[in-house]
Amino acid sequence: MKKLLFSMACVSFLFGNDYDVALESYKTKDFKQAYEYFLKSANAGNSQAAHNISIMYNNGDGVPKDIKQSIIWLQRASDAKNSYAMTQLGNNYMNGYGVEKDYKKAVALFTEAALLDNPQAAYNLGYMYTVGTGVGINNTEAISWYEKAASLGDENAQINLGFMYLSAQGVPKDLKKAAFYIKKAKDGGSSKADSLWKQFELEKYL
């Protein structure tokens, strides 16, 4: 499971040169220096640097691939309330990757991250309530979390909401709302949303 490094401009502003040096080193594949400076930044309190160290251990980027170390650093970033790390750790618990599968922990992490406005965490909760993974099927909860994710720009949430309104899944059929959400995803470049837009001729419902 190859993972991508997070950059986040606001992190650079808060923690300065060490994090910037680490990112530039990572981009040029100088992983040894990247690790050294991410470690300095993490020890200074930068939770995103800790998350990035987790990713390096997960991928084996300049360090031996070590899922246990990856989880340790991911937990450290999560404990610092980094919503991206919390979402990733939730995914790990949901899939049993590097940790024992635990849906309750996944839901707890996703909920906390979603309340910190992480769109992926909000989408994950919506999906879990839609299909009943780790929670009871609850379309009201699903829609609430999908709406939050959609408002934060998550295209999958926008598509799922649109489809729920198209098919009256847990909500009354509402083609205007379906058109609203699917157009958002279509305008964001989603080919799936574009296909739904054309298939159901949603333009006439705006």
Side-chain angles (χ1 to χ4, degrees):
M1 186 186 290
K2 185 78 172 176
K3 295 176 185 175
L4 300 177
L5 212 69
F6 282 84
S7 56
M8 299 183 68
C10 59
V11 170
S12 298
F13 177 76
L14 289 171
F15 291 94
N17 194 52
D18 287 343
Y19 190 83
D20 292 335
V21 170
L23 276 180
E24 289 306 311
S25 300
Y26 191 91
K27 289 175 185 176
T28 60
K29 299 189 183 301
D30 185 349
F31 295 131
K32 182 178 179 180
Q33 181 163 283
Y35 181 87
E36 178 186 348
Y37 280 90
F38 276 139
L39 185 60
K40 287 182 180 180
S41 188
N43 287 335
N46 183 346
S47 66
Q48 193 53 52
H51 187 192
N52 287 351
I53 291 172
S54 168
I55 291 169
M56 293 183 77
Y57 275 114
N58 180 82
N59 295 344
D61 292 334
V63 291
K65 187 177 176 71
D66 188 330
I67 302 305
K68 286 185 178 180
Q69 278 297 315
S70 177
I71 296 297
I72 287 169
W73 282 100
L74 192 58
Q75 185 67 63
R76 178 169 166 175
S78 296
D79 289 344
K81 307 305 178 187
N82 183 296
S83 73
Y84 296 94
M86 293 161 78
T87 302
Q88 182 57 60
L89 188 57
N91 284 331
N92 286 22
Y93 276 114
M94 190 163 70
N95 295 302
Y97 180 73
V99 292
E100 187 174 346
K101 187 177 287 189
D102 190 325
Y103 291 134
K104 286 186 177 180
K105 286 184 178 179
V107 169
L109 285 160
F110 290 148
T111 301
E112 194 169 0
L115 292 174
L116 292 171
D117 290 340
N118 186 287
Q120 182 65 53
Y123 169 79
N124 288 352
L125 285 170
Y127 180 80
M128 292 177 84
Y129 278 109
T130 298
V131 301
T133 300
V135 291
I137 292 175
N138 186 325
N139 284 321
T140 300
E141 282 288 326
I143 288 166
S144 175
W145 289 114
Y146 280 147
E147 285 177 342
K148 184 173 183 64
S151 73
L152 294 167
D154 188 280
E155 289 179 3
N156 288 323
Q158 292 162 356
I159 291 168
N160 283 12
L161 273 173
F163 190 78
M164 290 174 85
Y165 281 113
L166 274 174
S167 59
Q169 182 181 329
V171 289
K173 187 169 185 175
D174 190 328
L175 294 176
K176 288 189 73 172
K177 286 185 177 179
F180 172 79
Y181 284 113
I182 290 173
K183 184 176 187 300
K184 279 184 173 292
K186 178 180 77 71
D187 290 348
S190 168
S191 58
K192 183 176 180 180
D194 187 60
S195 177
L196 288 170
W197 182 262
K198 292 172 181 173
Q199 180 184 350
F200 291 96
E201 300 179 339
L202 291 173
E203 184 175 359
K204 61 188 177 184
Y205 296 105
L206 287 179

